[in-house]
Amino acid sequence: MAGLYQSLRPNSSSSYLSSYFSYQHNFVYKLLLLLTLLPLFLALFAFFLQWRGGAIDPITRWSSDRDDFPGMFNPPLIKSSSSFSSDNCNQNLLGQSNSPVFPYFRGWNFNYNDSHLSPKACITSTTSAGLEQLLPWIFYHKFIGITSFFLFVEGKAASHDASNVLKSISGVKVIPRTKELEEQQAKSRIWNETWLANFFYKPCNNELFVKQTLNMEMAIAMARDAGMEWIFHLDTDELVHPAGTRDYSVRELLTDVPKDIDMIVFSNYESAVERDDIKEPFSEVSMFKKNFEHLPKETYFGHYKESTRGNPNYFLTYGNGKAAARIKDHLRPNGAHRWHNYMNAPTELKLEEAAVLHYTYSKFSDLTSRRDRCGCKPTKEDVKRCFMLEFDRLAFIIASTANDEEMLQWYKEHVVWNDNELKQKLLKLGILLRIYAPLDIIQGLKESGVFASVISSAQVASSNKSNNNGSSDIIDTSILFPRKLGIEHPSTTRRILEYNGGNSHLPAIPPLSPPSFDEVDQEH
């Protein structure tokens, strides 16, 4: 009996095992439940983030602590590309897709009230480009904070359809080259002065240089009347690259400029194309050659011959950058690359990070386009009258004397970077570099349908004669040098390369090539 009693008593070890297995069973059950619910929760969370009526996805913000775009503040919304006209011309002109895939631009139209933005910066340009180039150029610069554009148009840009589209864009002023404009510019004081005289009455590039300078003079007056604080002069194959700013913003860059600075010089980086079939350089080019100003001297001269690849100079075209000027009394242009002042030598600085990206000869058709707009003879003597830079002269002669096959072969040898080993070497040295921000921004604008929307809206409104966004009004020359503005600016600083006071008697600065290997006494 006692033995039976002992056998019926609960065993302590068996009780422990029972509790252990029960705990294990509960743990496995909870783990399976968690693994079942977790995917469902993640799916619901992803749906919540993508829901347009819900919260803002922090991943799609430009920065972690703000939800406005660089260069803007509180802009309103636009329609997505799915609501645009299905007209094939509108959709195909700039290669728009049917659905927006770049989240930064979903529902934006850039037609916002910019009266509160500061500092206000504008761009003036003389252009004959078509809409396929102008629209990406304009909206990219809007994205980084440019407020207004003063476009002196000719050729394709001056056509009826293109002008209507350009005038419909907020902040764009279109000035066609008319007889009235030329008559007004003939009264400019520039013709009675000597600083531009070396370029008067000469063909092709010299004529364009004078025209750009006269247009810049008028743009100063228009910018002042529009309340602008800074003015850039850019060609429409150039993009401002505000490197060194947190939000990739021109306004942020200008805010940091000390108030005693009159002009900022942006070194230019030159496009280095890797194919001969590029159609839209802004959306297809990501490799650039760095300006010598931003390279160590030993790197620049130590690899100069490799970098030129048999061309006349380190850059195909100019290497002395472009400038932005603070708008103040007596401001005047100093050629297409600099600004000056009639009363005081301007103080200037060169930034060590920000640059102007120059997409030069980035399309094979650029060879013939330069040829077609100049009536010079294709001889070494005559091209010197037409072109200031040696590569332009060589390209003009090739385009004028060679057949298509020979031109393409010359283009491949002198412009296209098809030597991968050399590319990798120069990329490691920092002579070549990759810049993706403009490409990504412009591609995003396309895919969001911004360009197609502008074209569609302009076509719908083409019958409306009262367009308030732009006009061809001619500016009275009496307002070219008006009252003092007294604009004040912040006194913060940014890292600079050089600071100087300039010279009030220097002639206009033309496009200049970078220093050549033979021009500098290089120590080995």
Side-chain angles (χ1 to χ4, degrees):
M1 187 68 179
L4 178 61
Y5 175 75
Q6 288 290 338
S7 66
L8 294 175
R9 291 176 62 186
N11 187 292
S12 59
S13 64
S14 63
S15 175
Y16 172 78
L17 289 173
S18 176
S19 299
Y20 174 77
F21 286 122
S22 175
Y23 171 79
Q24 288 286 87
H25 181 270
N26 290 336
F27 176 77
V28 171
Y29 175 78
K30 291 178 180 178
L31 181 61
L32 290 174
L33 181 63
L34 178 63
L35 293 175
T36 302
L37 293 177
L38 183 60
L40 179 61
F41 172 77
L42 292 175
L44 290 173
F45 183 66
F47 174 77
F48 175 76
L49 290 178
Q50 294 179 6
W51 179 44
R52 294 192 182 191
I56 298 174
D57 180 1
I59 297 175
T60 64
R61 292 185 179 183
W62 186 262
S63 62
S64 59
D65 60 347
R66 56 188 293 179
D67 57 10
D68 55 297
F69 290 167
M72 304 180 190
F73 185 76
N74 293 332
L77 301 180
I78 61 163
K79 299 176 182 179
S80 67
S81 61
S82 59
S83 63
F84 299 150
S85 168
S86 59
D87 186 284
N88 290 335
C89 177
N90 298 342
Q91 297 296 330
N92 294 333
L93 177 62
L94 290 155
Q96 275 68 249
S97 62
N98 292 325
S99 59
V101 299
F102 192 70
Y104 300 124
F105 306 99
R106 182 179 295 159
W108 294 66
N109 69 0
F110 295 89
N111 289 323
Y112 54 94
N113 181 5
D114 58 13
S115 60
H116 61 283
L117 300 180
S118 181
K120 292 183 174 64
C122 65
I123 293 176
T124 182
S125 185
T126 301
T127 182
S128 60
L131 291 178
E132 71 282 353
Q133 181 174 332
L134 289 175
L135 293 184
W137 182 83
I138 290 171
F139 281 96
Y140 167 83
H141 285 110
K142 276 180 169 282
F143 179 86
I144 64 173
I146 297 297
T147 304
S148 299
F149 301 80
F150 302 102
L151 302 182
F152 292 81
V153 297
E154 303 177 33
K156 292 180 181 179
S159 69
H160 179 267
D161 291 341
S163 292
N164 281 342
V165 172
L166 294 173
K167 290 176 183 180
S168 73
I169 302 172
S170 175
V172 175
K173 180 89 171 177
V174 178
I175 307 98
R177 188 147 199 88
T178 61
K179 181 180 178 181
E180 290 76 16
L181 176 67
E182 291 181 348
E183 288 175 351
Q184 278 207 336
Q185 290 186 338
K187 302 174 185 177
S188 170
R189 62 182 290 180
I190 289 176
W191 296 102
N192 297 319
E193 297 167 348
T194 60
W195 55 270
L196 194 63
N198 287 339
F199 306 94
F200 290 162
Y201 314 117
K202 295 180 182 179
C204 204
N205 274 16
N206 293 281
E207 180 183 3
L208 174 61
F209 191 75
V210 172
K211 189 186 300 182
Q212 288 174 322
T213 304
L214 292 168
N215 291 344
M216 292 166 69
E217 182 186 44
M218 282 193 150
I220 292 171
M222 290 185 277
R224 179 167 34 217
D225 285 354
M228 297 293 107
E229 298 165 64
W230 287 88
I231 184 167
F232 290 75
H233 176 259
L234 294 178
D235 296 326
T236 50
D237 62 352
E238 297 171 328
L239 301 178
V240 178
H241 174 52
T245 59
R246 186 178 70 90
D247 285 341
Y248 203 70
S249 166
V250 168
R251 289 208 342 271
E252 181 187 337
L253 187 151
L254 295 176
T255 298
D256 290 345
V257 176
K259 63 181 181 180
D260 60 333
I261 295 297
D262 302 311
M263 181 170 64
I264 310 170
V265 177
F266 293 77
S267 297
N268 61 296
Y269 293 177
E270 190 174 80
S271 60
V273 299
E274 301 170 82
R275 306 193 326 266
D276 59 27
D277 60 347
I278 288 174
K279 302 300 181 186
E280 298 178 6
F282 295 153
S283 300
E284 299 180 58
V285 176
S286 65
M287 191 168 73
F288 296 85
K289 187 184 286 188
K290 213 169 188 179
N291 194 287
F292 70 97
E293 294 270 18
H294 289 183
L295 286 171
K297 184 178 179 181
E298 58 272 15
T299 300
Y300 176 74
F301 288 107
H303 300 275
Y304 182 86
K305 292 185 178 180
E306 290 177 293
S307 302
T308 58
R309 300 183 306 148
N311 289 319
N313 202 275
Y314 174 77
F315 275 168
L316 300 182
T317 52
Y318 77 90
N320 54 328
K322 287 293 181 73
R326 195 189 298 275
I327 296 176
K328 56 195 307 184
D329 274 357
H330 312 294
L331 177 67
R332 70 161 172 84
N334 198 36
H337 293 257
R338 294 293 188 272
W339 305 86
H340 217 299
N341 192 287
Y342 278 110
M343 301 301 294
N344 302 294
T347 55
E348 69 175 51
L349 63 81
K350 293 181 181 179
L351 300 178
E352 68 173 13
E353 297 167 281
V356 166
L357 306 180
H358 186 201
Y359 296 76
T360 187
Y361 288 99
S362 52
K363 297 184 294 182
F364 174 61
S365 60
D366 289 343
L367 283 179
T368 53
S369 65
R370 281 169 168 80
R371 176 200 66 193
D372 295 342
R373 65 174 181 251
C374 287
C376 296
K377 297 177 182 178
T379 63
K380 291 183 179 181
E381 294 74 22
D382 204 48
V383 293
K384 290 181 180 179
R385 299 188 308 112
C386 294
F387 300 98
M388 304 178 196
L389 301 173
E390 186 62 28
F391 187 87
D392 287 332
R393 298 167 183 169
L394 295 177
F396 180 83
I397 291 174
I398 289 295
S400 302
T401 59
N403 58 39
D404 289 346
E405 184 178 345
E406 291 169 336
M407 274 195 295
L408 181 59
Q409 184 60 35
W410 187 90
Y411 184 79
K412 289 178 179 179
E413 292 174 356
H414 292 268
V415 180
V416 180
W417 287 78
N418 45 26
D419 186 335
N420 290 326
E421 185 177 344
L422 178 60
K423 274 195 304 186
Q424 293 306 315
K425 179 180 180 178
L426 297 185
L427 282 166
K428 289 179 181 179
L429 290 168
I431 293 173
L432 296 177
L433 76 162
R434 297 284 181 182
I435 300 176
Y436 293 102
L439 185 152
D440 289 339
I441 290 169
I442 290 172
Q443 189 62 37
L445 286 163
K446 282 185 186 179
E447 294 175 349
S448 295
V450 172
F451 307 145
S453 175
V454 170
I455 296 171
S456 298
S457 299
Q459 289 178 340
V460 170
S462 61
S463 59
N464 186 355
K465 304 298 182 181
S466 57
N467 192 317
N468 296 321
N469 292 326
S471 72
S472 59
D473 297 337
I474 304 304
I475 305 302
D476 187 350
T477 53
S478 65
I479 67 168
L480 286 177
F481 312 100
R483 62 198 179 282
K484 182 177 180 180
L485 295 180
I487 302 172
E488 296 295 331
H489 299 274
S491 58
T492 54
T493 60
R494 173 172 295 279
R495 290 184 298 166
I496 63 175
L497 281 175
E498 184 179 341
Y499 178 95
N500 63 68
N503 187 316
S504 60
H505 303 293
L506 290 176
I509 297 175
L512 299 173
S513 296
S516 69
F517 189 81
D518 298 328
E519 290 173 355
V520 178
D521 184 16
Q522 172 69 8
E523 295 182 2
H524 296 282

